[in-house]
Amino acid sequence: MQTLTHFDSHGQAHMVDVADKLPTHRIAIAQGCIHMLPDTLALIQAGTAKKGDVLGIARIAGIQGAKQTSNLIPLCHPIALTRVALELECTEATATNAAQVRCTATAETRGPTGVEMEALTAVQVALLTIYDMCKAVDRGMTINGVKLLEKHGGKSGSFVAQP
């Protein structure tokens, strides 16, 4: 069984020492969705939301969120991101599913520690931005399914989530 790395031998929380880890190319991909009323999605797609271009602003917010991860998560290392990209995909409502926007974030670096938290933070901040911009017309939106899809690089190698 693996041990939690953010605790020392006395059970005290600490920042993991990455000084001796070799820098490698690291990439992480995370995803999540915000579900909403069909009329809310129509506003987003038409670009007529009261606060402006919802998807464009959410994309920028997600990038900013990734860059601020170490300020939000106490034991995360500040890292030099080499790339953060967000894809926002709209899906119309069906008989069994609500309308939604799916956010996929990719974060990359070349360094001694991974970028999983940055990719996950990018997704959450982008989806929260959509909620904030559309809450005047749809307070029932839900954010769910946020998860790490893939991570590559580093000593532990690759991870790919099972579908």
Side-chain angles (χ1 to χ4, degrees):
M1 180 157 175
Q2 293 182 338
T3 59
L4 298 174
T5 58
H6 287 90
F7 295 96
D8 65 17
S9 60
H10 298 72
Q12 301 295 312
H14 71 101
M15 184 181 251
V16 175
D17 184 356
V18 296
D20 293 331
K21 291 174 79 177
L22 293 175
T24 62
H25 179 238
R26 296 164 185 266
I27 183 170
I29 303 169
Q31 186 175 80
C33 297
I34 185 166
H35 298 262
M36 62 194 63
L37 296 171
D39 289 347
T40 307
L41 183 63
L43 281 173
I44 291 170
Q45 291 176 307
T48 56
K50 187 175 182 179
K51 292 186 177 181
D53 176 10
V54 174
L55 298 180
I57 294 168
R59 183 175 294 107
I60 297 299
I63 293 168
Q64 281 186 302
K67 292 170 23 177
Q68 293 298 315
T69 301
S70 66
N71 291 326
L72 299 168
I73 312 295
L75 300 178
C76 276
H77 291 84
I79 61 173
L81 291 166
T82 57
R83 176 173 172 253
V84 178
L86 276 80
E87 295 177 28
L88 297 157
E89 177 188 356
C90 298
T91 304
E92 301 288 336
T94 65
T96 56
N97 294 311
Q100 71 175 15
V101 177
R102 178 181 311 279
C103 177
T104 304
T106 303
E108 293 187 54
T109 191
R110 182 157 188 80
T113 190
V115 289
E116 298 97 305
M117 296 306 298
E118 287 73 13
L120 287 162
T121 301
V123 168
Q124 291 280 31
V125 171
L127 296 175
L128 286 168
T129 299
I130 293 170
Y131 187 95
D132 178 55
M133 294 186 72
C134 298
K135 68 182 183 271
V137 296
D138 186 358
R139 292 198 188 270
M141 292 176 284
T142 59
I143 295 171
N144 49 36
V146 177
K147 64 182 179 178
L148 180 68
L149 296 178
E150 298 180 33
K151 80 73 119 182
H152 303 282
K155 184 175 147 185
S156 64
S158 293
F159 165 83
V160 178
Q162 299 302 312

